[in-house]
Amino acid sequence: MLVGRAVPPARSLGKVLDAGASRHFWGWLNAVFNKVDYERIQAVGPDRAASEWLLRCGALVRYQGSEKWQQDYNGLPTGPLGKYKIEAINATESCIMYRGFDYLDGLEHVSEIKLQKCIYIQDECLKRLSETKNLQKSLLQLKIISCGNVTDKGIIALHKLTNLEYLYLSDLPGIKQKETTAHILQQALPNLELELDLE
């Protein structure tokens, strides 16, 4: 007679990994999603490559002449190179991070960006955003909401977005000196409509 121990049923990967390992895995995967593929940008153009990056990270894009937000990676429109130009980005709850911001360099028509509940958005991202030459010309509206890693330093860095007409800031616990920060920004951008919903 053969005697042995009963083997417990296989567990799901989520149960095997502890919270720290799971968090590390998702951080790694999100970093992979944000890796810039410069050959792809050359092959399909900056708007298509940026669309692929943004949708891969869970963001939405809207193209010039369209009211519809594109959210399905597999449903990205096809057509001649350069036909679809990104006009707006909604990065709500997306995993975009600094590492992928080179995708923004070639975009010439982005007039609106919304960053809401983006856990990887931090001051360096906003500084990089404001140093992007094409966005300095095209970006008119920016909303930053519930991005916990953004501080006064990041908001002040937006002063290089010289054509920015509207900036909405809400639920940003890293902003400690809202009056001073608002004053500095208004001095640098006198035509800016600044709406604050901060504690």
Side-chain angles (χ1 to χ4, degrees):
M1 178 175 200
L2 198 58
V3 178
R5 292 186 322 191
V7 178
R11 296 182 182 158
S12 70
L13 180 61
K15 291 180 182 176
V16 171
L17 294 175
D18 65 15
S22 178
R23 193 171 21 253
H24 177 73
F25 171 76
W26 288 111
W28 171 83
L29 185 61
N30 291 334
V32 169
F33 285 166
N34 279 275
K35 186 173 189 285
V36 179
D37 184 345
Y38 298 99
E39 289 179 10
R40 183 74 178 154
I41 294 171
Q42 289 294 315
V44 299
D47 289 272
R48 173 65 189 216
S51 295
E52 293 172 358
W53 164 60
L54 289 161
L55 269 61
R56 194 170 47 240
C57 291
L60 311 175
V61 296
R62 193 177 71 231
Y63 299 107
Q64 273 187 328
S66 176
E67 296 296 317
K68 179 181 166 248
W69 285 96
Q70 181 67 41
Q71 59 186 6
D72 180 10
Y73 183 92
N74 294 319
L76 278 169
T78 57
L81 187 67
K83 179 179 179 184
Y84 295 94
K85 303 290 185 185
I86 298 175
E87 182 176 58
I89 298 169
N90 181 344
T92 299
E93 295 184 342
S94 72
C95 69
I96 63 170
M97 60 179 65
Y98 183 88
R99 181 178 192 182
F101 273 43
D102 282 2
Y103 279 111
L104 300 174
D105 288 337
L107 305 182
E108 298 178 351
H109 302 90
V110 176
S111 61
E112 301 173 40
I113 296 178
K114 181 179 182 182
L115 303 171
Q116 182 172 356
K117 296 182 181 176
C118 299
I119 62 172
Y120 298 109
I121 293 297
Q122 53 196 346
D123 294 341
E124 292 77 18
C125 298
L126 299 183
K127 183 174 186 271
R128 175 69 171 81
L129 196 74
S130 74
E131 292 173 346
T132 304
K133 296 293 183 197
N134 286 329
L135 292 179
Q136 289 175 354
K137 297 173 192 168
S138 69
L139 191 61
L140 304 176
Q141 295 183 24
L142 178 59
K143 296 177 182 177
I144 305 171
I145 305 161
S146 303
C147 296
N149 295 319
V150 171
T151 70
D152 299 275
K153 181 181 172 185
I155 299 303
I156 291 169
L158 297 173
H159 75 278
K160 292 183 181 178
L161 295 171
T162 52
N163 286 328
L164 195 62
E165 296 175 354
Y166 177 75
L167 176 62
Y168 178 72
L169 304 174
S170 177
D171 187 27
L172 299 171
I175 295 184
K176 305 296 184 194
Q177 301 173 341
K178 69 178 180 180
E179 290 83 13
T180 303
T181 298
H183 179 72
I184 292 170
L185 215 47
Q186 295 278 202
Q187 289 280 318
L189 303 169
N191 297 324
L192 177 67
E193 179 186 342
L194 180 58
E195 187 175 346
L196 302 176
D197 181 17
L198 303 170
E199 292 296 318

